[in-house]
Amino acid sequence: MSEKILVVDDECSIADLVEVYLKNDGYQVRKFYNATDALNCIKQEEISLALLDVMLPDMDGFTLCRKIRENYLFPIIMLTAKVEDIDKIMGLTLGADDYITKPFKPLELTARVKTQLRRYRLYNAQEPVQKEISEISIRGLHISKTSHKASLNGQELSLTPIEFNILWYLASHQGKVVSSEVLFEEVWGEKYWDNNNTVMAHIARLREKMHEPARRPKYIKTVWGVGYTIE
């Protein structure tokens, strides 16, 4: 059965165009023009990925993203007409995995969809591709690659797949400083571009979930001008 893509956009012409391109690539599409109907769909069907417009009539896309993340881990790509960095960062900190700014090229959007789905399948595979370390424990922080879960002092952390992968990569390179460029290319599997705030936004959200003080974090530390490390 082909994967189901949720498309939520109140601009009918854009939603229809995205639907055509996704169906041409073999995906099933569940298309809605408001957040309420989209949430009802998610409860009834197994969604593989969601494309969410920021401006919706009944609920903004950021709020919809947050509600989805309360119960689901499938990839979310935000569609936004706003180009300010703060808007992009907001979507990422609320649990989105990627964003694309309107107007966009349909082929670019479908490429982003394929990338997110491929990454999600890779990191949620039932069996590891090769034998490797599957458990890491660091001062009360326990991470299991097998179950794709992490806990801190016995309390399970509610992490998105991207957040988990960031934490795992840093922990598996304990004692080493990992640059934003390397972290982005290893976790996202894409080329890093200048002035990319994606890593910073996800690190901030990860620290928040770990109840880490911004100025004196115990685990994920910032080495200014270099990158991040777990000592």
Side-chain angles (χ1 to χ4, degrees):
M1 182 180 294
S2 61
E3 290 159 307
K4 295 178 183 176
I5 309 298
L6 178 72
V7 178
V8 190
D9 196 316
D10 65 339
E11 294 185 66
C12 299
S13 59
I14 293 179
D16 293 345
L17 179 63
V18 171
E19 179 183 29
V20 169
Y21 274 83
L22 290 174
K23 284 187 173 180
N24 285 343
D25 276 348
Y27 299 113
Q28 295 186 52
V29 177
R30 299 295 182 263
K31 180 180 62 178
F32 300 96
Y33 305 120
N34 62 75
T36 302
D37 290 342
L39 286 172
N40 290 333
C41 173
I42 293 171
K43 294 176 183 177
Q44 299 172 16
E45 301 193 50
E46 186 175 344
I47 299 299
S48 302
L49 179 145
L51 293 164
L52 310 180
D53 184 30
V54 170
M55 304 301 292
L56 295 170
D58 55 342
M59 180 190 306
D60 68 77
F62 295 136
T63 301
L64 176 57
C65 176
R66 189 184 69 246
K67 285 182 174 294
I68 292 174
R69 278 289 173 255
E70 290 174 358
N71 298 294
Y72 304 95
L73 294 176
F74 55 74
I76 296 175
I77 299 176
M78 303 298 297
L79 306 178
T80 174
K82 299 181 179 180
V83 297
E84 292 84 357
D85 282 344
I86 188 62
D87 294 301
K88 299 172 184 177
I89 293 172
M90 182 183 295
L92 295 171
T93 57
L94 290 173
D97 298 281
D98 199 0
Y99 66 86
I100 187 167
T101 305
K102 298 178 182 178
F104 53 79
K105 296 179 180 179
L107 290 178
E108 179 187 358
L109 184 142
T110 55
R112 297 280 191 96
V113 167
K114 291 175 183 177
T115 296
Q116 290 297 331
L117 287 173
R118 183 169 61 249
R119 182 180 304 121
Y120 186 70
R121 289 192 296 265
L122 175 64
Y123 287 118
N124 288 275
Q126 292 300 313
E127 298 180 359
V129 176
Q130 58 184 10
K131 187 175 180 60
E132 56 184 10
I133 297 173
S134 60
E135 306 281 336
I136 297 176
S137 292
I138 303 173
R139 302 188 306 277
L141 174 65
H142 183 77
I143 315 169
S144 171
K145 195 171 186 181
T146 303
S147 63
H148 218 263
K149 292 182 179 180
S151 62
L152 183 58
N153 298 322
Q155 293 293 112
E156 184 173 340
L157 299 171
S158 178
L159 306 180
T160 67
I162 289 291
E163 291 165 352
F164 178 89
N165 295 332
I166 291 173
L167 186 60
W168 175 265
Y169 191 85
L170 290 174
S172 62
H173 292 79
Q174 184 181 3
K176 297 180 180 179
V177 180
V178 181
S179 68
S180 296
E181 292 89 341
V182 169
L183 196 55
F184 183 86
E185 291 177 4
E186 290 292 334
V187 173
W188 276 264
E190 299 176 12
K191 185 67 176 175
Y192 183 89
W193 60 88
D194 291 338
N195 301 318
N196 184 354
N197 291 311
T198 302
V199 173
M200 180 183 67
H202 278 81
I203 290 288
R205 180 60 174 164
L206 188 52
R207 283 172 172 162
E208 181 182 337
K209 290 185 176 181
M210 295 173 68
H211 304 292
E212 287 262 74
R215 294 186 178 276
R216 298 179 63 85
K218 179 181 178 182
Y219 294 97
I220 303 175
K221 298 185 178 181
T222 300
V223 180
W224 294 108
V226 184
Y228 302 95
T229 184
I230 293 182
E231 298 177 342

